[in-house]
Amino acid sequence: MEPDSSPALRAFLEALGTGCDFCQVQVRPLPPSFELRHVTDRGRPSEELRPVRVTDLRVLAQTTESGAYRALKAAPNLVSGWCCVAGSGNELEVALGHLYPGALADWAAVRKVAAAVPVTHFREFMGRQTGIYRGVRHLDEAGAAAVIGATCHPRFCLKRRWWTVDGLAPDDPGATSELPCLEPCAVLLDGARQATRGV
Ligand code: SF4
């Protein structure tokens, strides 16, 4: 492990063992490197997969197989058929950051001291919106549930929701991936804005 490794990376490498899944990506140690591939390509010979560089992963994560833009990087439609080798732990952190921005730090935060994780709940998040988003604070219970169902359901996003609203409990462990969602995202905010247009 590099001496300048981040605490999040150190936690990840300690937990990695012979390999693990990080949302839709399988990570395997190939000392001193690490191999990343889509979980559906598990077990396939590397020669069958398209080699991509760490620096290519940001672009790879931006579109679906059909070329549609992926507004949610944790959406369950990461393209498959590729293989990437990160030459070091620090490169692995960069690779995961391209695929799932910010997710490694959040993953490490909830692993370490789950009780102390700073979670921003729905009403708090919506209550501080201004400008064109100002109306979202008026979204009622049913409206909030509808927007959350249409945005955060595992069909659309694989992050596990830690925040709550009006009695809607956090997602159960195992319901989605281990990537935590610690506050509503921009896509959800936009859904809330559309639901409250004219309010
Ligand atoms: S707010 Fe919902 S859609 Fe956005 S990242 Fe979190 S769980 Fe996913």
Side-chain angles (χ1 to χ4, degrees), residues 72-75 147-148 150-153 156-163 171 176 179-189:
L72 280 173
K73 294 299 174 279
V147 171
I148 294 165
T151 311
C152 305
H153 189 281
F156 311 114
C157 180
L158 293 173
K159 282 194 176 181
R160 179 183 157 203
R161 186 175 47 77
W162 279 56
W163 49 265
D171 289 333
T176 55
L179 265 55
C181 174
L182 303 181
E183 72 170 29
C185 71
V187 173
L188 184 81
L189 174 61

PDB file of all heavy atoms in Angstrom, residues 72-75 147-148 150-153 156-163 171 176 179-189, ligand 1:
ATOM      1  N   LEU A  72     -27.220   9.255 -13.639  1.00  0.00           N
ATOM      2  CA  LEU A  72     -26.896   8.617 -12.358  1.00  0.00           C
ATOM      3  C   LEU A  72     -25.779   7.608 -12.578  1.00  0.00           C
ATOM      4  O   LEU A  72     -25.964   6.615 -13.287  1.00  0.00           O
ATOM      5  CB  LEU A  72     -28.116   7.869 -11.813  1.00  0.00           C
ATOM      6  CG  LEU A  72     -29.184   8.678 -11.100  1.00  0.00           C
ATOM      7  CD1 LEU A  72     -30.367   7.781 -10.793  1.00  0.00           C
ATOM      8  CD2 LEU A  72     -28.617   9.285  -9.827  1.00  0.00           C
ATOM      9  N   LYS A  73     -24.634   7.855 -11.973  1.00  0.00           N
ATOM     10  CA  LYS A  73     -23.516   6.940 -12.191  1.00  0.00           C
ATOM     11  C   LYS A  73     -23.727   5.611 -11.451  1.00  0.00           C
ATOM     12  O   LYS A  73     -23.061   4.622 -11.755  1.00  0.00           O
ATOM     13  CB  LYS A  73     -22.204   7.596 -11.757  1.00  0.00           C
ATOM     14  CG  LYS A  73     -21.827   8.793 -12.623  1.00  0.00           C
ATOM     15  CD  LYS A  73     -21.636   8.397 -14.085  1.00  0.00           C
ATOM     16  CE  LYS A  73     -21.400   9.593 -15.005  1.00  0.00           C
ATOM     17  NZ  LYS A  73     -22.592  10.315 -15.408  1.00  0.00           N
ATOM     18  N   ALA A  74     -24.666   5.579 -10.510  1.00  0.00           N
ATOM     19  CA  ALA A  74     -24.974   4.311  -9.832  1.00  0.00           C
ATOM     20  C   ALA A  74     -26.174   3.619 -10.465  1.00  0.00           C
ATOM     21  O   ALA A  74     -26.708   2.673  -9.898  1.00  0.00           O
ATOM     22  CB  ALA A  74     -25.233   4.558  -8.346  1.00  0.00           C
ATOM     23  N   ALA A  75     -26.616   4.080 -11.623  1.00  0.00           N
ATOM     24  CA  ALA A  75     -27.704   3.397 -12.331  1.00  0.00           C
ATOM     25  C   ALA A  75     -27.230   2.003 -12.738  1.00  0.00           C
ATOM     26  O   ALA A  75     -26.039   1.803 -13.010  1.00  0.00           O
ATOM     27  CB  ALA A  75     -28.114   4.212 -13.557  1.00  0.00           C
ATOM     28  N   VAL A 147     -41.740  10.742  -6.044  1.00  0.00           N
ATOM     29  CA  VAL A 147     -40.476  11.146  -6.676  1.00  0.00           C
ATOM     30  C   VAL A 147     -39.353  10.176  -6.286  1.00  0.00           C
ATOM     31  O   VAL A 147     -38.545   9.768  -7.126  1.00  0.00           O
ATOM     32  CB  VAL A 147     -40.110  12.589  -6.265  1.00  0.00           C
ATOM     33  CG1 VAL A 147     -38.702  12.941  -6.721  1.00  0.00           C
ATOM     34  CG2 VAL A 147     -41.113  13.577  -6.862  1.00  0.00           C
ATOM     35  N   ILE A 148     -39.324   9.811  -5.023  1.00  0.00           N
ATOM     36  CA  ILE A 148     -38.281   8.880  -4.571  1.00  0.00           C
ATOM     37  C   ILE A 148     -38.438   7.517  -5.257  1.00  0.00           C
ATOM     38  O   ILE A 148     -37.469   6.913  -5.719  1.00  0.00           O
ATOM     39  CB  ILE A 148     -38.336   8.740  -3.032  1.00  0.00           C
ATOM     40  CG1 ILE A 148     -37.950  10.073  -2.393  1.00  0.00           C
ATOM     41  CG2 ILE A 148     -37.427   7.615  -2.546  1.00  0.00           C
ATOM     42  CD1 ILE A 148     -38.298  10.177  -0.915  1.00  0.00           C
ATOM     43  N   ALA A 150     -39.687   6.966  -8.126  1.00  0.00           N
ATOM     44  CA  ALA A 150     -39.374   7.091  -9.557  1.00  0.00           C
ATOM     45  C   ALA A 150     -37.903   7.373  -9.814  1.00  0.00           C
ATOM     46  O   ALA A 150     -37.466   7.395 -10.968  1.00  0.00           O
ATOM     47  CB  ALA A 150     -40.219   8.213 -10.164  1.00  0.00           C
ATOM     48  N   THR A 151     -37.129   7.609  -8.753  1.00  0.00           N
ATOM     49  CA  THR A 151     -35.719   7.970  -8.945  1.00  0.00           C
ATOM     50  C   THR A 151     -34.776   6.996  -8.248  1.00  0.00           C
ATOM     51  O   THR A 151     -33.767   6.579  -8.817  1.00  0.00           O
ATOM     52  CB  THR A 151     -35.458   9.387  -8.395  1.00  0.00           C
ATOM     53  OG1 THR A 151     -36.448  10.274  -8.892  1.00  0.00           O
ATOM     54  CG2 THR A 151     -34.086   9.882  -8.806  1.00  0.00           C
ATOM     55  N   CYS A 152     -35.114   6.638  -7.009  1.00  0.00           N
ATOM     56  CA  CYS A 152     -34.182   5.875  -6.177  1.00  0.00           C
ATOM     57  C   CYS A 152     -34.420   4.364  -6.193  1.00  0.00           C
ATOM     58  O   CYS A 152     -33.642   3.623  -5.594  1.00  0.00           O
ATOM     59  CB  CYS A 152     -34.270   6.352  -4.728  1.00  0.00           C
ATOM     60  SG  CYS A 152     -34.013   8.118  -4.527  1.00  0.00           S
ATOM     61  N   HIS A 153     -35.489   3.924  -6.838  1.00  0.00           N
ATOM     62  CA  HIS A 153     -35.748   2.474  -6.867  1.00  0.00           C
ATOM     63  C   HIS A 153     -34.546   1.758  -7.494  1.00  0.00           C
ATOM     64  O   HIS A 153     -33.902   2.302  -8.412  1.00  0.00           O
ATOM     65  CB  HIS A 153     -37.020   2.206  -7.677  1.00  0.00           C
ATOM     66  CG  HIS A 153     -37.499   0.799  -7.589  1.00  0.00           C
ATOM     67  ND1 HIS A 153     -36.937  -0.237  -8.317  1.00  0.00           N
ATOM     68  CD2 HIS A 153     -38.476   0.234  -6.830  1.00  0.00           C
ATOM     69  CE1 HIS A 153     -37.554  -1.372  -8.036  1.00  0.00           C
ATOM     70  NE2 HIS A 153     -38.491  -1.115  -7.124  1.00  0.00           N
ATOM     71  N   PHE A 156     -33.487   1.963 -10.986  1.00  0.00           N
ATOM     72  CA  PHE A 156     -32.891   3.188 -11.530  1.00  0.00           C
ATOM     73  C   PHE A 156     -31.558   3.549 -10.875  1.00  0.00           C
ATOM     74  O   PHE A 156     -30.728   4.213 -11.486  1.00  0.00           O
ATOM     75  CB  PHE A 156     -33.848   4.361 -11.338  1.00  0.00           C
ATOM     76  CG  PHE A 156     -35.241   4.060 -11.801  1.00  0.00           C
ATOM     77  CD1 PHE A 156     -36.296   3.988 -10.906  1.00  0.00           C
ATOM     78  CD2 PHE A 156     -35.487   3.801 -13.142  1.00  0.00           C
ATOM     79  CE1 PHE A 156     -37.579   3.692 -11.331  1.00  0.00           C
ATOM     80  CE2 PHE A 156     -36.777   3.500 -13.585  1.00  0.00           C
ATOM     81  CZ  PHE A 156     -37.826   3.451 -12.676  1.00  0.00           C
ATOM     82  N   CYS A 157     -31.379   3.161  -9.621  1.00  0.00           N
ATOM     83  CA  CYS A 157     -30.154   3.534  -8.898  1.00  0.00           C
ATOM     84  C   CYS A 157     -29.803   2.436  -7.906  1.00  0.00           C
ATOM     85  O   CYS A 157     -30.666   1.979  -7.153  1.00  0.00           O
ATOM     86  CB  CYS A 157     -30.368   4.854  -8.156  1.00  0.00           C
ATOM     87  SG  CYS A 157     -28.892   5.374  -7.252  1.00  0.00           S
ATOM     88  N   LEU A 158     -28.529   2.068  -7.887  1.00  0.00           N
ATOM     89  CA  LEU A 158     -28.104   0.969  -7.022  1.00  0.00           C
ATOM     90  C   LEU A 158     -27.552   1.434  -5.685  1.00  0.00           C
ATOM     91  O   LEU A 158     -27.068   0.621  -4.900  1.00  0.00           O
ATOM     92  CB  LEU A 158     -27.061   0.114  -7.747  1.00  0.00           C
ATOM     93  CG  LEU A 158     -27.612  -0.656  -8.960  1.00  0.00           C
ATOM     94  CD1 LEU A 158     -26.485  -1.333  -9.721  1.00  0.00           C
ATOM     95  CD2 LEU A 158     -28.641  -1.678  -8.520  1.00  0.00           C
ATOM     96  N   LYS A 159     -27.630   2.737  -5.412  1.00  0.00           N
ATOM     97  CA  LYS A 159     -27.160   3.190  -4.102  1.00  0.00           C
ATOM     98  C   LYS A 159     -28.191   2.866  -3.031  1.00  0.00           C
ATOM     99  O   LYS A 159     -29.398   2.855  -3.296  1.00  0.00           O
ATOM    100  CB  LYS A 159     -26.897   4.705  -4.107  1.00  0.00           C
ATOM    101  CG  LYS A 159     -25.574   5.056  -4.776  1.00  0.00           C
ATOM    102  CD  LYS A 159     -25.188   6.482  -4.456  1.00  0.00           C
ATOM    103  CE  LYS A 159     -23.823   6.797  -5.047  1.00  0.00           C
ATOM    104  NZ  LYS A 159     -23.401   8.165  -4.734  1.00  0.00           N
ATOM    105  N   ARG A 160     -27.702   2.610  -1.849  1.00  0.00           N
ATOM    106  CA  ARG A 160     -28.575   2.316  -0.708  1.00  0.00           C
ATOM    107  C   ARG A 160     -28.872   3.621   0.030  1.00  0.00           C
ATOM    108  O   ARG A 160     -27.969   4.270   0.543  1.00  0.00           O
ATOM    109  CB  ARG A 160     -27.879   1.318   0.215  1.00  0.00           C
ATOM    110  CG  ARG A 160     -28.681   0.979   1.436  1.00  0.00           C
ATOM    111  CD  ARG A 160     -27.891   0.054   2.332  1.00  0.00           C
ATOM    112  NE  ARG A 160     -28.377   0.135   3.690  1.00  0.00           N
ATOM    113  CZ  ARG A 160     -27.679  -0.182   4.764  1.00  0.00           C
ATOM    114  NH1 ARG A 160     -26.448  -0.643   4.633  1.00  0.00           N
ATOM    115  NH2 ARG A 160     -28.205  -0.066   5.950  1.00  0.00           N
ATOM    116  N   ARG A 161     -30.145   3.983   0.049  1.00  0.00           N
ATOM    117  CA  ARG A 161     -30.556   5.262   0.639  1.00  0.00           C
ATOM    118  C   ARG A 161     -30.497   5.201   2.162  1.00  0.00           C
ATOM    119  O   ARG A 161     -31.155   4.389   2.786  1.00  0.00           O
ATOM    120  CB  ARG A 161     -31.985   5.592   0.162  1.00  0.00           C
ATOM    121  CG  ARG A 161     -32.519   6.941   0.571  1.00  0.00           C
ATOM    122  CD  ARG A 161     -33.882   7.190  -0.053  1.00  0.00           C
ATOM    123  NE  ARG A 161     -34.773   6.050   0.094  1.00  0.00           N
ATOM    124  CZ  ARG A 161     -35.411   5.734   1.224  1.00  0.00           C
ATOM    125  NH1 ARG A 161     -35.249   6.473   2.290  1.00  0.00           N
ATOM    126  NH2 ARG A 161     -36.192   4.668   1.276  1.00  0.00           N
ATOM    127  N   TRP A 162     -29.699   6.124   2.721  1.00  0.00           N
ATOM    128  CA  TRP A 162     -29.583   6.221   4.183  1.00  0.00           C
ATOM    129  C   TRP A 162     -30.499   7.298   4.740  1.00  0.00           C
ATOM    130  O   TRP A 162     -30.785   7.323   5.915  1.00  0.00           O
ATOM    131  CB  TRP A 162     -28.129   6.535   4.581  1.00  0.00           C
ATOM    132  CG  TRP A 162     -27.245   5.331   4.592  1.00  0.00           C
ATOM    133  CD1 TRP A 162     -27.025   4.466   3.568  1.00  0.00           C
ATOM    134  CD2 TRP A 162     -26.463   4.844   5.690  1.00  0.00           C
ATOM    135  NE1 TRP A 162     -26.152   3.484   3.944  1.00  0.00           N
ATOM    136  CE2 TRP A 162     -25.785   3.699   5.244  1.00  0.00           C
ATOM    137  CE3 TRP A 162     -26.255   5.292   6.992  1.00  0.00           C
ATOM    138  CZ2 TRP A 162     -24.934   2.975   6.066  1.00  0.00           C
ATOM    139  CZ3 TRP A 162     -25.397   4.578   7.813  1.00  0.00           C
ATOM    140  CH2 TRP A 162     -24.749   3.421   7.354  1.00  0.00           C
ATOM    141  N   TRP A 163     -30.874   8.245   3.885  1.00  0.00           N
ATOM    142  CA  TRP A 163     -31.697   9.344   4.357  1.00  0.00           C
ATOM    143  C   TRP A 163     -33.170   8.940   4.317  1.00  0.00           C
ATOM    144  O   TRP A 163     -33.563   7.996   3.632  1.00  0.00           O
ATOM    145  CB  TRP A 163     -31.437  10.621   3.553  1.00  0.00           C
ATOM    146  CG  TRP A 163     -31.467  10.449   2.062  1.00  0.00           C
ATOM    147  CD1 TRP A 163     -30.399  10.225   1.239  1.00  0.00           C
ATOM    148  CD2 TRP A 163     -32.615  10.476   1.211  1.00  0.00           C
ATOM    149  NE1 TRP A 163     -30.808  10.118  -0.062  1.00  0.00           N
ATOM    150  CE2 TRP A 163     -32.165  10.275  -0.103  1.00  0.00           C
ATOM    151  CE3 TRP A 163     -33.974  10.657   1.429  1.00  0.00           C
ATOM    152  CZ2 TRP A 163     -33.016  10.238  -1.200  1.00  0.00           C
ATOM    153  CZ3 TRP A 163     -34.840  10.624   0.339  1.00  0.00           C
ATOM    154  CH2 TRP A 163     -34.362  10.425  -0.942  1.00  0.00           C
ATOM    155  N   ASP A 171     -33.226   2.392   3.080  1.00  0.00           N
ATOM    156  CA  ASP A 171     -33.219   1.088   2.406  1.00  0.00           C
ATOM    157  C   ASP A 171     -32.603   0.036   3.323  1.00  0.00           C
ATOM    158  O   ASP A 171     -31.664   0.317   4.079  1.00  0.00           O
ATOM    159  CB  ASP A 171     -32.381   1.158   1.117  1.00  0.00           C
ATOM    160  CG  ASP A 171     -33.060   1.966   0.031  1.00  0.00           C
ATOM    161  OD1 ASP A 171     -34.309   2.039   0.028  1.00  0.00           O
ATOM    162  OD2 ASP A 171     -32.341   2.525  -0.819  1.00  0.00           O
ATOM    163  N   THR A 176     -29.950  -3.178  -2.154  1.00  0.00           N
ATOM    164  CA  THR A 176     -29.275  -2.676  -3.353  1.00  0.00           C
ATOM    165  C   THR A 176     -27.786  -3.026  -3.231  1.00  0.00           C
ATOM    166  O   THR A 176     -27.454  -4.107  -2.800  1.00  0.00           O
ATOM    167  CB  THR A 176     -29.476  -1.147  -3.486  1.00  0.00           C
ATOM    168  OG1 THR A 176     -29.032  -0.519  -2.281  1.00  0.00           O
ATOM    169  CG2 THR A 176     -30.940  -0.801  -3.684  1.00  0.00           C
ATOM    170  N   LEU A 179     -23.099   0.712  -1.815  1.00  0.00           N
ATOM    171  CA  LEU A 179     -22.766   2.134  -1.977  1.00  0.00           C
ATOM    172  C   LEU A 179     -23.826   2.978  -1.278  1.00  0.00           C
ATOM    173  O   LEU A 179     -24.994   2.946  -1.656  1.00  0.00           O
ATOM    174  CB  LEU A 179     -22.726   2.503  -3.466  1.00  0.00           C
ATOM    175  CG  LEU A 179     -21.366   2.475  -4.160  1.00  0.00           C
ATOM    176  CD1 LEU A 179     -20.700   1.132  -3.981  1.00  0.00           C
ATOM    177  CD2 LEU A 179     -21.533   2.811  -5.620  1.00  0.00           C
ATOM    178  N   PRO A 180     -23.460   3.714  -0.264  1.00  0.00           N
ATOM    179  CA  PRO A 180     -24.472   4.483   0.454  1.00  0.00           C
ATOM    180  C   PRO A 180     -24.839   5.773  -0.258  1.00  0.00           C
ATOM    181  O   PRO A 180     -24.009   6.399  -0.908  1.00  0.00           O
ATOM    182  CB  PRO A 180     -23.773   4.779   1.789  1.00  0.00           C
ATOM    183  CG  PRO A 180     -22.328   4.833   1.449  1.00  0.00           C
ATOM    184  CD  PRO A 180     -22.115   3.862   0.314  1.00  0.00           C
ATOM    185  N   CYS A 181     -26.088   6.173  -0.111  1.00  0.00           N
ATOM    186  CA  CYS A 181     -26.530   7.488  -0.558  1.00  0.00           C
ATOM    187  C   CYS A 181     -26.804   8.285   0.707  1.00  0.00           C
ATOM    188  O   CYS A 181     -27.722   7.955   1.457  1.00  0.00           O
ATOM    189  CB  CYS A 181     -27.791   7.370  -1.397  1.00  0.00           C
ATOM    190  SG  CYS A 181     -28.460   8.998  -1.822  1.00  0.00           S
ATOM    191  N   LEU A 182     -26.006   9.311   0.953  1.00  0.00           N
ATOM    192  CA  LEU A 182     -26.071  10.037   2.223  1.00  0.00           C
ATOM    193  C   LEU A 182     -26.885  11.316   2.136  1.00  0.00           C
ATOM    194  O   LEU A 182     -27.159  11.933   3.166  1.00  0.00           O
ATOM    195  CB  LEU A 182     -24.647  10.335   2.723  1.00  0.00           C
ATOM    196  CG  LEU A 182     -23.755   9.099   2.913  1.00  0.00           C
ATOM    197  CD1 LEU A 182     -22.386   9.497   3.440  1.00  0.00           C
ATOM    198  CD2 LEU A 182     -24.411   8.089   3.841  1.00  0.00           C
ATOM    199  N   GLU A 183     -27.248  11.725   0.921  1.00  0.00           N
ATOM    200  CA  GLU A 183     -28.166  12.863   0.791  1.00  0.00           C
ATOM    201  C   GLU A 183     -28.781  12.836  -0.602  1.00  0.00           C
ATOM    202  O   GLU A 183     -28.210  12.264  -1.531  1.00  0.00           O
ATOM    203  CB  GLU A 183     -27.472  14.202   1.050  1.00  0.00           C
ATOM    204  CG  GLU A 183     -26.526  14.661  -0.015  1.00  0.00           C
ATOM    205  CD  GLU A 183     -26.078  16.115   0.245  1.00  0.00           C
ATOM    206  OE1 GLU A 183     -26.034  16.537   1.408  1.00  0.00           O
ATOM    207  OE2 GLU A 183     -25.771  16.807  -0.739  1.00  0.00           O
ATOM    208  N   PRO A 184     -29.973  13.407  -0.771  1.00  0.00           N
ATOM    209  CA  PRO A 184     -30.608  13.432  -2.087  1.00  0.00           C
ATOM    210  C   PRO A 184     -29.657  14.012  -3.138  1.00  0.00           C
ATOM    211  O   PRO A 184     -28.908  14.948  -2.855  1.00  0.00           O
ATOM    212  CB  PRO A 184     -31.828  14.326  -1.860  1.00  0.00           C
ATOM    213  CG  PRO A 184     -32.159  14.149  -0.409  1.00  0.00           C
ATOM    214  CD  PRO A 184     -30.818  14.036   0.273  1.00  0.00           C
ATOM    215  N   CYS A 185     -29.719  13.448  -4.342  1.00  0.00           N
ATOM    216  CA  CYS A 185     -28.805  13.888  -5.400  1.00  0.00           C
ATOM    217  C   CYS A 185     -29.500  14.877  -6.344  1.00  0.00           C
ATOM    218  O   CYS A 185     -30.700  15.154  -6.227  1.00  0.00           O
ATOM    219  CB  CYS A 185     -28.301  12.684  -6.184  1.00  0.00           C
ATOM    220  SG  CYS A 185     -29.570  11.939  -7.237  1.00  0.00           S
ATOM    221  N   ALA A 186     -28.752  15.369  -7.307  1.00  0.00           N
ATOM    222  CA  ALA A 186     -29.269  16.370  -8.251  1.00  0.00           C
ATOM    223  C   ALA A 186     -30.405  15.818  -9.100  1.00  0.00           C
ATOM    224  O   ALA A 186     -31.333  16.552  -9.467  1.00  0.00           O
ATOM    225  CB  ALA A 186     -28.131  16.862  -9.140  1.00  0.00           C
ATOM    226  N   VAL A 187     -30.341  14.528  -9.408  1.00  0.00           N
ATOM    227  CA  VAL A 187     -31.406  13.938 -10.241  1.00  0.00           C
ATOM    228  C   VAL A 187     -32.714  13.900  -9.454  1.00  0.00           C
ATOM    229  O   VAL A 187     -33.785  14.233  -9.973  1.00  0.00           O
ATOM    230  CB  VAL A 187     -31.000  12.522 -10.705  1.00  0.00           C
ATOM    231  CG1 VAL A 187     -32.149  11.836 -11.422  1.00  0.00           C
ATOM    232  CG2 VAL A 187     -29.774  12.604 -11.608  1.00  0.00           C
ATOM    233  N   LEU A 188     -32.618  13.542  -8.187  1.00  0.00           N
ATOM    234  CA  LEU A 188     -33.822  13.543  -7.345  1.00  0.00           C
ATOM    235  C   LEU A 188     -34.351  14.965  -7.166  1.00  0.00           C
ATOM    236  O   LEU A 188     -35.566  15.202  -7.221  1.00  0.00           O
ATOM    237  CB  LEU A 188     -33.513  12.925  -5.981  1.00  0.00           C
ATOM    238  CG  LEU A 188     -34.753  12.808  -5.100  1.00  0.00           C
ATOM    239  CD1 LEU A 188     -35.575  11.590  -5.468  1.00  0.00           C
ATOM    240  CD2 LEU A 188     -34.395  12.767  -3.642  1.00  0.00           C
ATOM    241  N   LEU A 189     -33.441  15.908  -6.972  1.00  0.00           N
ATOM    242  CA  LEU A 189     -33.851  17.300  -6.815  1.00  0.00           C
ATOM    243  C   LEU A 189     -34.606  17.776  -8.048  1.00  0.00           C
ATOM    244  O   LEU A 189     -35.632  18.442  -7.954  1.00  0.00           O
ATOM    245  CB  LEU A 189     -32.616  18.173  -6.565  1.00  0.00           C
ATOM    246  CG  LEU A 189     -32.857  19.681  -6.510  1.00  0.00           C
ATOM    247  CD1 LEU A 189     -33.817  20.038  -5.380  1.00  0.00           C
ATOM    248  CD2 LEU A 189     -31.535  20.419  -6.342  1.00  0.00           C
TER     249      LEU A 189
HETATM  250  S1  SF4 B   1     -30.920  10.294  -4.216  1.00  0.00           S
HETATM  251 FE1  SF4 B   1     -31.755   8.375  -4.972  1.00  0.00          FE
HETATM  252  S2  SF4 B   1     -31.253   8.365  -7.156  1.00  0.00           S
HETATM  253 FE2  SF4 B   1     -29.956   9.906  -6.192  1.00  0.00          FE
HETATM  254  S3  SF4 B   1     -28.054   8.799  -5.703  1.00  0.00           S
HETATM  255 FE3  SF4 B   1     -29.360   8.703  -3.898  1.00  0.00          FE
HETATM  256  S4  SF4 B   1     -30.479   6.762  -4.055  1.00  0.00           S
HETATM  257 FE4  SF4 B   1     -29.618   7.241  -6.077  1.00  0.00          FE
END
